[in-house]
Amino acid sequence: MKYYIIAGEASGDMHAANLMKELKRCDPGATFRCWGGDLMEKEGGVIVKHYRDLAFMGFTEVVMNLRTIFRNIDFCKQDIIEHKPDALILIDYPGFNMRIADFAKQEKIKVFYYISPQIWAWKQSRVHKIKRTVDKMFVILPFEKDFYKKFDYEVEFVGHPLLDEIEQIKAGSKTFRKQEISVMLPLMLSVVNDFPDHQFVIAAAPSVANEYLTSISGRKNVNIVSGQTYSLLTHSTAALVTSGTATLETALFGVPEVVCYKGGWISYSIARMLIKVDFISLVNLIMRREVVKELIQHELNTGNLIKELRSIIYDKENIERMKTDFLTLRNELGGSGASVNTAKAICRELSFR
């Protein structure tokens, strides 16, 4: 089969690459044309566009780059027509992928969606478009199956792909944009001098240049390590983590954490009006209660960071409680095997063709 796969972020590149690896097991003749990154390329994918060229974050940045975004959508549609894939596999990245799903359905191409858009958080009306355009949705969070069931749409819970990655690391992210880094990193680093007995390390995403991080940190006593977040987590005592998938990754490694978020005033104000959930971290969302402390907007300041970081470094009772909750969280997510489960299901769906 010919597969066309679209992943618009570093984490999507990782999950897509693992899926491709498993697809080749059940479909040895598989070929892949991709929007993604280096990991997908290593699995044999022909990269049409790299995710580094697709990263627009926040209301303001999206508006400023609308022409580029729509040009990419048009190019993608034309590329799909020219290469006539047997199946389209979409990895998260909803703003782009939902439009491509609609187009592919009109072209009578089988559409699979791996890692659901977080429509349970905001703009839930998108579920109707998903029902109309996506042949099979594979969800990775346990409560998503119940969410879709309310709308009479049957999805398949395959487990969380991070568990696969973590199992591999122990046996042997969402890409952060410059506007987020420039706001939050200086605040996070403002606590360094209050913890002289601890070594601070910046875990950098592969798409962010070390020179840029150095220009912001301005510190010689803070190391920067790129593309090795999981290795760092295995040796970490505690973590200050920006909201997103990284909060879940940190928890699954059993590392006590404080979740940090501070965005532009316009983007944050719009998000507050639209988002319908009580928490911003996946850890708290999945557990349906506050397991990790979230410092958002004005609460993200040096004083609060020092207080909360002390509580996850020195407060043994708090540390044990959090680690126990993390074990419960892992059980909630099911076992490893998300990539295998998804690949097998896709091959089953395509077996009649």
Side-chain angles (χ1 to χ4, degrees), residues 314-342:
Y314 303 119
D315 187 339
K316 292 183 179 179
E317 186 176 329
N318 184 49
I319 293 167
E320 285 306 309
R321 175 199 60 76
M322 195 175 288
K323 289 190 173 185
T324 299
D325 284 338
F326 289 168
L327 290 174
T328 304
L329 171 71
R330 177 180 280 270
N331 292 332
E332 283 275 324
L333 290 173
S336 57
S339 304
V340 175
N341 295 337
T342 306

Side-chain angles (χ1 to χ4, degrees), residues 102-221:
D102 196 9
F103 167 78
K105 190 67 174 179
Q106 294 173 32
E107 295 295 316
K108 296 181 170 51
I109 297 169
K110 197 84 169 175
V111 179
F112 299 102
Y113 214 127
Y114 178 41
I115 306 177
S116 168
Q118 295 178 352
I119 60 173
W120 35 265
W122 71 288
K123 208 174 178 183
Q124 294 187 2
S125 60
R126 289 180 294 174
V127 72
H128 303 296
K129 185 173 184 178
I130 288 173
K131 287 176 65 176
R132 189 177 70 251
T133 60
V134 177
D135 292 291
K136 190 71 175 179
M137 171 70 75
F138 302 102
V139 301
I140 63 171
L141 299 173
F143 61 81
E144 290 177 323
K145 190 172 177 70
D146 292 333
F147 169 80
Y148 278 108
K149 194 172 183 179
K150 291 190 300 185
F151 295 93
D152 196 30
Y153 184 54
E154 192 65 32
V155 302
E156 188 165 339
F157 173 61
V158 293
H160 204 292
L162 287 179
L163 292 171
D164 296 348
E165 287 293 317
I166 290 166
E167 288 302 319
Q168 290 174 25
I169 293 291
K170 289 187 174 179
S173 127
K174 259 242 180 156
T175 303
F176 301 118
R177 281 70 172 188
K178 287 185 176 181
Q179 65 186 59
E180 290 179 288
I181 295 169
S182 63
V183 171
M184 288 187 280
L185 186 57
L187 280 169
M188 294 165 113
L189 292 176
S190 69
V191 306
V192 170
N193 292 337
D194 291 88
F195 298 87
D197 297 331
H198 289 80
Q199 179 184 4
F200 283 76
V201 181
I202 298 170
S207 58
V208 181
N210 281 9
E211 293 79 12
Y212 178 72
L213 295 172
T214 302
S215 71
I216 292 176
S217 68
R219 294 174 180 271
K220 295 180 181 178
N221 59 332

Side-chain angles (χ1 to χ4, degrees), residues 229-290:
T229 301
Y230 289 177
S231 296
L232 282 173
L233 285 172
T234 61
H235 297 93
S236 296
T237 301
L240 302 177
V241 187
T242 53
S243 61
T245 306
T247 64
L248 185 56
E249 292 172 318
T250 305
L252 291 174
F253 272 92
V255 179
E257 63 181 296
V258 178
V259 176
C260 308
Y261 179 78
K262 190 168 191 175
W265 181 82
I266 295 175
S267 296
Y268 178 71
S269 299
I270 292 171
R272 278 194 67 183
M273 291 187 290
L274 296 176
I275 290 177
K276 299 182 178 181
V277 291
D278 297 326
F279 303 105
I280 64 167
S281 72
L282 283 172
V283 174
N284 293 342
L285 283 168
I286 294 167
M287 296 292 283
R288 296 177 289 278
R289 57 186 171 85
E290 186 180 85

